[in-house]
Amino acid sequence: MNDPRTATVERSTSETEIRLTLGLDGTGKASIQTGIGFLDHMLTALAKHGRLDLDLQVNGDLDVDDHHSVEDAALSLGTALDQALGDRRGIERFAHAYAPLDEALARVVVDLSGRPYARVQIPFVREMVGDVATENLVHFFQSLAMTGRLALHVDVLEGENDHHKAEAAFKALAIALRRAVARTGESDVPSTKGSL
């Protein structure tokens, strides 16, 4: 029941080369190099506040744009999350969290249901935050939900600064994931179906 929940994912395409190691029962230790400074900042916050140990190295086609690197990082993280959870036995499964950052306030609700779904409402004003397109930040959450096989609702309820909106959303996701993957001490799968 207390075996370490870890996964390593290697993803290689004509667009990106990725190596990712994830530990669900960590301390928030992060080593992240995606080539996109703002994404590194967001994923470092995700690891820290989710108490996830995350090592992520991305070599992507940034000469094209940031899309493939952001998308494939999220797909890889979702895959690692799914693998580390195994049959999802003995976990909380459902969780929600609010996180403020100054004037911004984000709410994230997670269900580790085995069924991918994402609804992401972040009212960005700018096209870019740092070196990442805001549409790709939204796409990050969507891609994570797909391969992580989870239902994910992200709503930024308040905010004026786009950096703050994004960071509040990632921190709320971190806290919600930390709660959802938490062990309950039970040995059953938290579903009336008997599997997730």
Side-chain angles (χ1 to χ4, degrees):
M1 190 71 176
N2 290 322
D3 293 336
R5 297 180 295 172
T6 62
T8 296
V9 171
E10 294 187 9
R11 179 183 171 93
S12 179
T13 72
S14 61
E15 299 164 344
T16 60
E17 294 276 347
I18 295 178
R19 180 173 171 80
L20 182 151
T21 301
L22 174 68
L24 297 184
D25 306 300
T27 61
K29 181 175 58 178
S31 175
I32 299 167
Q33 294 180 328
T34 66
I36 304 169
F38 189 75
L39 182 61
D40 291 358
H41 179 44
M42 293 299 97
L43 293 176
T44 300
L46 178 69
K48 175 69 174 177
H49 298 289
R51 295 191 192 123
L52 306 170
D53 288 344
L54 179 60
D55 187 322
L56 172 62
Q57 308 299 315
V58 180
N59 183 13
D61 57 356
L62 294 177
D63 56 313
V64 175
D65 68 8
D66 57 306
H67 179 86
H68 297 139
S69 292
V70 174
E71 178 180 56
D72 289 1
L75 293 172
S76 299
L77 180 57
T79 298
L81 175 63
D82 183 43
Q83 290 178 5
L85 284 170
D87 64 3
R88 306 185 184 210
R89 187 175 300 277
I91 61 168
E92 285 290 347
R93 176 181 166 179
F94 301 98
H96 70 276
Y98 289 82
L101 180 56
D102 298 344
E103 88 296 345
L105 175 64
R107 175 185 63 213
V108 171
V109 184
V110 171
D111 176 9
L112 300 177
S113 61
R115 296 184 308 278
Y117 180 81
R119 180 185 172 278
V120 183
Q121 300 291 320
I122 307 176
F124 288 120
V125 176
R126 291 188 280 157
E127 289 186 8
M128 302 286 291
V129 178
D131 47 359
V132 64
T134 50
E135 68 179 5
N136 290 332
L137 293 172
V138 171
H139 190 53
F140 178 92
F141 291 105
Q142 295 165 337
S143 299
L144 175 70
M146 292 306 109
T147 55
R149 298 193 313 117
L150 57 101
L152 177 62
H153 291 255
V154 179
D155 294 280
V156 171
L157 306 172
E158 301 288 344
E160 297 175 7
N161 182 292
D162 281 350
H163 183 129
H164 292 174
K165 293 174 195 173
E167 190 166 344
F170 272 84
K171 287 178 175 176
L173 172 64
I175 298 164
L177 277 178
R178 186 179 81 213
R179 293 172 178 168
V181 305
R183 289 181 161 124
T184 63
E186 304 294 327
S187 61
D188 65 327
V189 173
S191 171
T192 55
K193 297 181 181 70
S195 65
L196 290 172

